[in-house]
Amino acid sequence: MALSGIQIFKMLPKKNCKECGCPTCMAFSMKVAQGALKIEQCPHVSAEALEALSEATAPPMKTIKVGTGEGEYTLGGETVLYRHEKTYVNKTRYAVSLCSCMDDATIDAKIAAIPAVDYERIGERMRVEMIYVNYGAEAGADKYLELVKKAVATGKTLVLGCDDVEVAKAALEIAKAGKPILNGANASNYEAMNALAKEADVVLGVSGANLDEIYDTVAALEKAGNKNLVIDATGASIKEAYANAVQIRRAALKDQDRTFGYPTIVNTSKLAVKDKYMQEALVSLFTMKYGSIVVVDELGYAEALPLFGLRQNVFTDPQKPMKVEPGLYPLNGADENSLCLTTVDFALTYFIVSGELERSGVPVNLIINDAGGLSVLTSWAAGKFSGTSISTFIKENIESKVSCRKLVIPGKVAVLKGDLEAKLPGWEIIVAPLEAVQLVKFLKDMKEA
Ligand code: SF4
């Protein structure tokens, strides 16, 4: 269990020197107990106390790494139950399910469909990150091992869903270089599975008939020295899976019970839901509560768009506006003589506008102003995107870099045209259409005029 502020205070040097940023050692202790500060932020704490406190004051949910290279993902490490309390840290990863119980044509079609989801949104690459390779015992070990080979060839990070020790051993021989998860430990086989996972140096997934059984198995694995675990929260029904996911996370973060302080897998493909839209709804649910890996039967482009958008919204820090760096962004081979167009530094605005500009093919110097990470109208209303701020930014940062003196401003702030003409002598101020999607025609018409 986590230490209280008083227990932490007893191990501090009690100098009240304020070097940690707190007025007293007691105030520092309280913040460490809440998880708001780290014990290392006190420069005077002794090595012995640091060692004793580091483990006890570590976040209640472990951070677990899986995969390698581009496919390495960090799971868990969460400190709050609700995003608005602080922020979520490591985003849910999506896995497509394959099973050796499927026929070859189905497996090949599902593997062929995986690369179809690959696009960028607000600077983040969206794609299927993992494959869950399920062992259908009735199809036999050989078919499963062939499936593992096919899955390895995709280059995706794998979760090997197999509770047969011998088959799992052979599967790990094929897949272990990619640091998969071996999701196969349960109350009856955990010792053998633990030995396999340790030997292959991979994360071990733990499942059970109910939460009590999972808890006891995790505790036994921890006692055997393995804390490189994930918990399979998938139950026999949607209701059970949801209850498991919530109770595991609440026990870890609210009750500070570290036995449940591990990332979770929720496998929606095992919840007997045939309707693919219902499955997508379940993936949304478990993205919010509380799947670290959510497994789904299929993830096509149409299903991916809302899911990845949701995930991006849930796993951004609500305290930090999504911004891009203010500056000059030459697009489509723009040089100093190319037209200038300005907008705000809100990331979503930047990526929408720059996408449309790139689609136009017209060389443009995109000037991003420091507008506090707000949208065009919000920053204008807040006085952060005004005639003064735009003209000052252009005089200080842009005029020395471009010769062209034509500046396109967003249609939504057409009202700034007169002010900018007065504050930027020598510049022609042009008002763009209201919507970014209209920029392509607007720029092409300008080029031809
Ligand atoms: Fe106390 Fe350490 Fe903070 Fe100084 S830096 S006030 S000793 S906790």
Side-chain angles (χ1 to χ4, degrees):
M1 300 290 281
L3 294 181
S4 68
I6 297 292
Q7 287 170 309
I8 295 167
F9 176 71
K10 284 181 185 165
M11 299 175 84
L12 288 178
K14 305 179 191 68
K15 289 172 178 267
N16 291 333
C17 65
K18 303 186 177 63
E19 286 179 46
C20 56
C22 295
T24 61
C25 294
M26 177 57 87
F28 177 75
S29 311
M30 294 301 169
K31 294 223 173 212
V32 172
Q34 291 162 6
L37 292 177
K38 292 194 171 141
I39 191 67
E40 293 82 359
Q41 287 171 257
C42 168
H44 303 296
V45 68
S46 68
E48 303 80 59
L50 186 63
E51 194 184 340
L53 287 169
S54 291
E55 169 78 2
T57 59
M61 187 181 183
K62 288 217 164 33
T63 300
I64 301 287
K65 283 191 187 298
V66 298
T68 56
E70 262 202 3
E72 183 182 88
Y73 302 112
T74 305
L75 308 170
E78 303 298 340
T79 57
V80 292
L81 276 177
Y82 305 105
R83 175 186 181 259
H84 62 261
E85 292 176 279
K86 194 173 175 191
T87 182
Y88 290 158
V89 184
N90 290 306
K91 62 177 71 99
T92 301
R93 299 294 173 176
Y94 296 134
V96 166
S97 171
L98 299 176
C99 180
S100 55
C101 55
M102 296 169 180
D103 61 57
D104 287 346
T106 305
I107 288 169
D108 292 345
K110 289 186 76 165
I111 289 176
I114 288 171
V117 177
D118 193 349
Y119 65 97
E120 199 172 297
R121 183 177 187 269
I122 320 182
E124 184 185 342
R125 192 169 173 196
M126 308 296 197
R127 56 185 173 158
V128 176
E129 289 127 346
M130 305 177 97
I131 296 178
Y132 191 96
V133 193
N134 189 56
Y135 176 49
E138 64 281 4
D142 290 346
K143 186 158 183 221
Y144 183 65
L145 299 179
E146 282 308 308
L147 179 59
V148 172
K149 282 181 195 163
K150 281 185 180 179
V152 167
T154 66
K156 300 289 180 190
T157 301
L158 304 188
V159 183
L160 301 172
C162 177
D163 59 5
D164 181 303
V165 176
E166 287 309 311
V167 179
K169 186 177 182 183
L172 274 180
E173 280 306 313
I174 298 165
K176 67 182 177 187
K179 296 284 175 205
I181 295 172
L182 173 58
N183 188 30
N186 55 42
S188 59
N189 70 3
Y190 71 88
E191 284 166 316
M193 283 291 178
N194 188 32
L196 281 185
K198 277 190 166 172
E199 194 187 330
D201 191 20
V202 299
V203 175
L204 183 61
V206 184
S207 57
N210 52 50
L211 281 182
D212 287 343
E213 194 175 296
I214 293 173
Y215 189 92
D216 291 346
T217 309
V218 171
L221 284 163
E222 285 186 324
K223 205 171 166 194
N226 192 347
K227 293 188 176 179
N228 201 21
L229 306 172
V230 295
I231 296 175
D232 191 333
T234 314
S237 65
I238 297 170
K239 186 178 169 188
E240 196 179 315
Y242 182 73
N244 287 352
V246 171
Q247 285 185 40
I248 288 168
R249 186 65 62 91
R250 284 180 69 88
L253 299 191
K254 195 154 181 286
D255 305 337
Q256 304 271 305
D257 188 335
R258 287 163 194 262
T259 305
F260 268 162
Y262 291 95
T264 51
I265 299 175
V266 181
N267 192 339
T268 65
S269 73
K270 289 190 172 175
L271 294 177
V273 177
K274 292 296 163 215
D275 184 293
K276 75 173 183 176
Y277 300 107
M278 183 61 183
Q279 265 203 28
E280 301 310 326
L282 290 177
V283 179
S284 311
L285 175 71
F286 290 113
T287 299
M288 294 182 283
K289 290 193 182 303
Y290 286 113
S292 308
I293 297 171
V294 180
V295 186
V296 63
D297 256 339
E298 287 176 40
L299 192 54
Y301 196 71
E303 296 86 35
L305 281 175
L307 281 178
F308 284 108
L310 170 77
R311 184 179 79 173
Q312 198 169 39
N313 284 329
V314 171
F315 287 89
T316 49
D317 186 344
Q319 298 159 99
K320 289 187 195 153
M322 294 171 72
K323 293 173 66 172
V324 292
E325 277 299 304
L328 182 68
Y329 293 79
L331 302 174
N332 301 328
D335 60 22
E336 59 174 17
N337 298 310
S338 303
L339 179 71
C340 296
L341 184 146
T342 191
T343 191
V344 294
D345 57 349
F346 178 41
L348 192 56
T349 303
Y350 169 81
F351 284 104
I352 288 173
V353 171
S354 62
E356 294 301 327
L357 296 179
E358 282 172 353
R359 208 160 61 85
S360 77
V362 176
V364 176
N365 283 311
L366 178 58
I367 299 168
I368 296 297
N369 287 260
D370 184 353
L374 303 172
S375 68
V376 170
L377 280 177
T378 313
S379 58
W380 170 73
K384 292 176 183 285
F385 191 55
S386 63
T388 302
S389 70
I390 296 171
S391 59
T392 303
F393 186 79
I394 286 180
K395 281 179 187 165
E396 289 178 358
N397 301 287
I398 306 297
E399 281 191 339
S400 60
K401 296 176 186 162
V402 297
S403 309
C404 178
R405 289 294 183 261
K406 287 185 179 180
L407 178 67
V408 180
I409 63 172
K412 285 181 177 146
V413 289
V415 68
L416 296 179
K417 179 174 163 59
D419 196 19
L420 281 169
E421 283 170 346
K423 287 175 173 151
L424 284 174
W427 282 80
E428 180 186 349
I429 308 299
I430 302 160
V431 177
L434 281 174
E435 301 299 334
V437 72
Q438 297 167 299
L439 280 171
V440 175
K441 181 173 184 310
F442 173 78
L443 290 173
K444 283 183 176 169
D445 290 350
M446 271 188 76
K447 196 178 172 195
E448 286 164 13

